[in-house]
Amino acid sequence: MMKAALVVIPMSVVLMAGARSHAQSGDRANRTGAAVALDRSDWPGTIEVLGLPGRLGVFGAAEVLAIDDAGHPVVAMSGLGRGRLIALGHESYLSAALDGGTSDARAGRWVRLLIEQSTGLSSGDLVKPIVVRDVDEIEPGSTRVLMVKAGSIRAEDVERLGQWVEGGGLLVSGVPAWGWLQLNEGRTLSRDFAANRLFARAGIVWVEQAIEADRGAGVRVLRDVVRDHLAEGMNARAVLNAEAMLERLRSGEKIDATEAGAAASMLTAMADALPEDERVLRPRLMELERAERPWKVPSEASPLGESDVLDRVVLQLQLQRMSRQSADEVRAHPAAAHFPGEVDAGAARVTREVALAVGKKGWHSTGLYAAPGEVIEVKVPPALLGLKPSLRVGAHSDDISRHDVWRRAPRVDRQDVIDGTTTRHASAFGGLVYVVLGAPLPEPMSVEISGAVEAPVYFDQPTSGRRTTREAWLQSIRHAPAPWGEVVTDNLIMTMPAGELRGLDDPEALADFYRRMSDLSADFGAIPRDRVKPERFVADVQISAGYMHSGYPIMTHLDAAEDMASPQNLSTRGNWGLFHELGHNHQRPEWTFEGTGEVTNNLWSVFLMEEMTRNDPNRFHPGVNRVRREARKEEYRKAGARFEEWCADPFLALSMYLEIRDAFGWAPFKAVFAEYERLKPEERPGTEQEKRDQWMMRMSRQIGRDLGPFFEAWGVPVSAEARASIEHLPDWIP
């Protein structure tokens, strides 16, 4: 993996001779360099999947060179002036090309071949010592090839690099955009990703989605010239050029379902990735939004599907535009009526002073709700400004853009920085109002919020000094007009539709259940009960991944809301899914080795079901039924106890952990987790082997038994050194 920001290969040959302008549609931003005759006879059929590459979007005269299994671009090339640009879906392909020519990887050889064919370089030139330079040290007269991680291109580099490429340079750059977004929370590809501003001039942008590719099959290299339409022979036929597909759709041409799905995925991704000042494709997309036709909006009853390509693209463009509007420009979006819901025009808009929770950071619940399109105002004390505060409307940031079907708008939240003592804010979708702090609140402070409506929110939160009385809840608060509400404790918060909360007669019991759930989870994982950033759960009509998924907040579908609002249901039967996702939030990589990503979190599921419910242990989940566990284990061992099978079956793997629990209880697990929490960074296991070894050794010492034979019986490999370190203990197999 490259560590330097830039790697420059100095050379004296002229990259390209002559130039021609590619003029379509008026003031064309991307100027295509002279055509390069690429000799594809030596190209491989596929290259390796390195890391998890991201996709590219192409338009204009840009040429796709490699695709994933679904036909989406992974490598592309285009011209700019007298120079050229090559974009890669992952920076690891740069590393493979820069290993001095010694790599056997097809990907590295192919990228080097691309450079050779594009520049006239020989293989000998490419294995010469590489000079690492800063952008400002590029020598226009001698530097002809520049290889750089796309994420390290800065806004101030764009013009200089653009001029250098136009003068005859070759820029080769790579990154998975999804990874860049994870490392740059709150930023966007259209506004903040400088590489897209440069490459879009030539018809290429990095988009958020990861590729679809079998690691065994690899990424398919296009050895035949593919221009504007379809690549043949793929697992799924797909569109390669966004501009060409847009024109097909605008002309009313009928396309099949597979093409429609690919087009929707591609065009909506590009709507999010195209720089705001891009002057070729973005204006054409914006023309769609301005078209006088009734665009469909998503709802649970009438979702937007794969065939609704232009409707989905227009909605993405609308979401982008609304995210940049000032509070006074925002208007309610039609989709808000379906989700998260309307607020009665007659509901009182109130002014409230809201106490924030001392010692907490992240999202501070206010008990208020902003109506779609309506301005609210927040006043904060000057001392709060040092904690990097923001005002958020919307209970989650779960983006469903990647789904083929949308039952709600892909993004329904908005968060803006509070940069003064008075801030005006509006959201096109409305939602619960939060004050977001980047650091824990050091002392009691309050904010004043005006223009919002009351929400059915029950507070049992000593850190903010807020506790809703039972009388106030039953008589008024649970009937508040907002369509969503919460139960707020210091360390765990549940968000759900107001309809579920209005029937809640015993809020104290529910808050007490959540408090115990949080405390027991912390005790089990050997972390402090008092969390600086409380756990959050949110129910929604559609979520970005799975039936539920972990994170901040933990997301679940609406069918879980009934249990979330029922202390009776929770204490009687529990909810495996809620406990399962909370377990994910407690997992540590040091003791979650290969095959246990969906296993060690379920230790929390079983533990909380046992501690907090009256459910029969054999009815927690079919996978933990003792009779089924024994039968599955016997079948597994008769088949040879192969570790690959163990890794592929989460409940088989969980059975191994539960056998230790059956014999020794939960105390050894708590003690081992506590050991890991105390480890210094240099003591933490790094490799998969080290993780398995440390877990076996630490658990063996806690129970006073040698678990080596036990691990061997289950087919889980540990090293001879680890086995030797505990051989003084008596062997144990249940």
Side-chain angles (χ1 to χ4, degrees):
M1 190 71 71
M2 292 170 56
K3 295 182 179 179
L6 289 178
V7 181
V8 181
I9 304 176
M11 53 173 282
S12 58
V13 301
V14 176
L15 177 64
M16 295 185 187
R20 63 182 176 85
S21 64
H22 181 69
Q24 300 176 357
S25 70
D27 181 18
R28 187 95 186 174
N30 54 312
R31 298 176 295 283
T32 305
V36 174
L38 297 175
D39 179 4
R40 300 167 185 252
S41 61
D42 292 335
W43 287 16
T46 60
I47 59 173
E48 299 87 347
V49 176
L50 301 181
L52 179 57
R55 295 178 184 171
L56 304 173
V58 302
F59 57 100
E63 184 177 0
V64 178
L65 303 181
I67 55 176
D68 67 4
D69 285 349
H72 298 283
V74 183
V75 180
M77 172 186 278
S78 191
L80 189 65
R82 292 190 296 114
R84 294 189 80 77
L85 299 149
I86 297 176
L88 305 156
H90 202 286
E91 65 266 23
S92 292
Y93 291 107
L94 297 175
S95 305
L98 290 171
D99 66 354
T102 61
S103 174
D104 291 330
R106 295 189 305 276
R109 295 198 304 272
W110 180 59
V111 174
R112 290 197 299 275
L113 187 59
L114 281 179
I115 297 171
E116 292 173 19
Q117 294 184 357
S118 300
T119 62
L121 276 170
S122 68
S123 297
D125 291 314
L126 285 177
V127 299
K128 290 179 180 178
I130 294 166
V131 179
V132 179
R133 295 188 184 275
D134 185 80
V135 173
D136 295 334
E137 297 176 354
I138 292 175
E139 299 178 11
S142 60
T143 304
R144 285 291 177 265
V145 179
L146 180 65
M147 304 186 77
V148 55
K149 293 181 181 180
S152 63
I153 296 176
R154 304 162 299 184
E156 58 267 30
D157 299 331
V158 171
E159 289 306 317
R160 177 174 173 79
L161 281 174
Q163 292 172 9
W164 175 78
V165 174
E166 288 180 351
L170 172 64
L171 174 59
V172 188
S173 196
V175 76
W178 64 264
W180 183 88
L181 287 167
Q182 285 188 353
L183 296 174
N184 293 271
E185 186 176 0
R187 297 189 178 185
T188 68
L189 295 174
S190 60
R191 276 184 288 181
D192 307 304
F193 187 55
N196 273 356
R197 289 177 48 201
L198 174 59
F199 277 71
R201 298 178 184 181
I204 303 172
V205 290
W206 281 267
V207 300
E208 180 178 359
Q209 287 88 342
I211 71 165
E212 297 178 26
D214 184 327
R215 288 185 176 274
V219 176
R220 181 184 172 201
V221 173
L222 298 179
R223 290 184 288 185
D224 297 321
V225 177
V226 178
R227 296 200 60 82
D228 292 337
H229 294 293
L230 301 177
E232 302 294 338
M234 294 179 289
N235 292 342
R237 295 166 65 227
V239 180
L240 296 179
N241 188 289
E243 189 175 1
M245 174 49 72
L246 180 61
E247 293 309 310
R248 292 175 67 192
L249 293 168
R250 288 175 53 147
S251 71
E253 178 183 339
K254 296 294 184 182
I255 61 176
D256 64 31
T258 300
E259 287 180 328
S265 174
M266 174 183 61
L267 289 172
T268 53
M270 292 191 72
D272 270 350
L274 284 167
E276 296 174 359
D277 60 355
E278 193 278 318
R279 299 196 300 273
V280 176
L281 186 57
R282 179 171 281 281
R284 297 186 184 189
L285 293 172
M286 298 304 293
E287 287 174 13
L288 288 176
E289 187 186 358
R290 292 191 295 268
E292 294 183 1
R293 58 162 282 187
W295 296 110
K296 291 173 60 177
V297 297
S299 68
E300 194 166 12
S302 181
L304 289 182
E306 290 184 338
S307 62
D308 302 309
V309 180
L310 294 183
D311 299 274
R312 287 159 63 108
V313 173
V314 167
L315 180 52
Q316 288 283 39
L317 292 168
Q318 291 171 342
L319 296 177
Q320 269 191 13
R321 174 175 50 80
M322 292 183 299
S323 71
R324 300 188 296 269
Q325 289 177 325
S326 68
D328 293 320
E329 293 173 321
V330 172
R331 298 293 181 268
H333 192 279
H338 302 290
F339 188 90
E342 296 178 301
V343 174
D344 193 315
R349 274 56 175 173
V350 301
T351 297
R352 293 286 184 268
E353 184 173 329
V354 177
L356 304 179
V358 176
K360 305 295 183 183
K361 68 175 182 178
W363 304 0
H364 290 244
S365 297
T366 66
L368 298 172
Y369 194 95
E374 294 188 15
V375 175
I376 62 172
E377 185 176 89
V378 59
K379 295 180 179 179
V380 305
L384 195 68
L385 298 178
L387 301 179
K388 300 179 180 179
S390 298
L391 189 65
R392 152 172 282 276
V393 172
H396 65 72
S397 56
D398 212 38
D399 188 341
I400 62 168
S401 296
R402 300 180 187 181
H403 287 314
D404 295 333
V405 176
W406 297 346
R407 294 180 174 83
R408 61 163 171 85
R411 298 181 299 280
V412 293
D413 65 314
R414 178 163 177 171
Q415 183 170 320
D416 292 318
V417 172
I418 297 174
D419 55 8
T421 55
T422 300
T423 300
R424 290 166 61 82
H425 184 100
S427 163
F429 291 89
L432 288 164
V433 179
Y434 304 89
V435 174
V436 183
L437 300 183
L441 187 71
E443 58 185 351
M445 291 187 202
S446 297
V447 301
E448 181 183 279
I449 298 176
S450 304
V453 300
E454 298 276 8
V457 175
Y458 180 84
F459 283 93
D460 190 350
Q461 193 180 38
T463 53
S464 69
R466 304 181 74 179
R467 189 178 190 283
T468 306
T469 66
R470 178 183 177 86
E471 181 181 24
W473 173 259
L474 295 176
Q475 292 184 1
S476 61
I477 293 177
R478 67 172 171 175
H479 302 296
W484 288 79
E486 295 184 320
V487 175
V488 179
T489 68
D490 270 334
N491 297 304
L492 194 147
I493 299 162
M494 291 278 185
T495 305
M496 63 198 83
E500 300 291 347
L501 289 166
R502 292 191 176 113
L504 176 59
D505 295 324
D506 193 354
E508 297 99 329
L510 189 59
D512 182 63
F513 186 94
Y514 292 153
R515 187 182 302 103
R516 291 178 55 232
M517 177 176 165
S518 173
D519 288 349
L520 285 170
S521 297
D523 293 348
F524 188 55
I527 63 173
R529 286 186 169 187
D530 189 22
R531 302 164 194 259
V532 175
K533 194 174 182 180
E535 301 284 354
R536 286 184 171 272
F537 289 77
V538 177
D540 196 350
V541 67
Q542 187 176 9
I543 66 176
S544 61
Y547 172 65
M548 297 182 182
H549 71 73
S550 57
Y552 185 81
I554 292 168
M555 296 296 301
T556 177
H557 284 89
L558 290 177
D559 59 356
E562 180 183 355
D563 281 349
M564 291 164 65
S566 173
Q568 175 66 21
N569 288 355
L570 289 172
S571 61
T572 301
R573 64 182 186 226
N575 187 296
W576 180 276
L578 297 179
F579 298 160
H580 171 99
E581 301 304 339
L582 188 60
H584 272 308
N585 277 11
H586 287 77
Q587 280 177 316
R588 297 288 187 268
E590 293 85 357
W591 41 261
T592 301
F593 49 83
E594 179 186 6
T596 64
E598 292 295 331
V599 178
T600 56
N601 62 310
N602 272 333
L603 296 174
W604 269 258
S605 306
V606 178
F607 174 74
L608 291 174
M609 292 289 278
E610 287 183 353
E611 293 292 320
M612 301 197 65
T613 78
R614 298 188 292 276
N615 203 343
D616 178 350
N618 286 310
R619 296 179 182 272
F620 289 169
H621 189 286
V624 298
N625 178 281
R626 189 181 289 267
V627 174
R628 293 189 185 185
R629 280 168 45 200
E630 289 296 327
R632 180 177 299 183
K633 179 180 70 173
E634 186 64 23
E635 181 181 348
Y636 168 69
R637 290 182 176 173
K638 284 182 178 179
R642 294 183 303 108
F643 183 55
E644 295 80 6
E645 183 181 344
W646 188 91
C647 289
D649 188 340
F651 281 99
L652 175 69
L654 180 63
S655 296
M656 177 179 172
Y657 288 81
L658 293 183
E659 286 193 331
I660 298 175
R661 187 284 315 265
D662 292 343
F664 302 100
W666 291 116
F669 289 88
K670 297 178 183 179
V672 170
F673 291 145
E675 287 184 20
Y676 280 98
E677 290 297 315
R678 294 191 296 267
L679 289 181
K680 298 176 182 178
E682 63 272 16
E683 297 173 325
R684 298 182 182 278
T687 67
E688 293 298 308
Q689 184 68 65
E690 290 171 348
K691 291 177 183 181
R692 293 192 298 268
D693 285 353
Q694 281 208 25
W695 179 258
M696 183 201 68
M697 292 186 294
R698 293 180 188 282
M699 184 61 72
S700 294
R701 291 165 185 152
Q702 284 296 331
I703 66 174
R705 302 289 190 277
D706 180 353
L707 288 176
F710 178 66
F711 271 63
E712 182 178 357
W714 273 101
V716 178
V718 291
S719 69
E721 292 79 9
R723 291 285 299 269
S725 72
I726 54 172
E727 63 183 2
H728 61 285
L729 298 172
D731 292 352
W732 180 80
I733 293 182

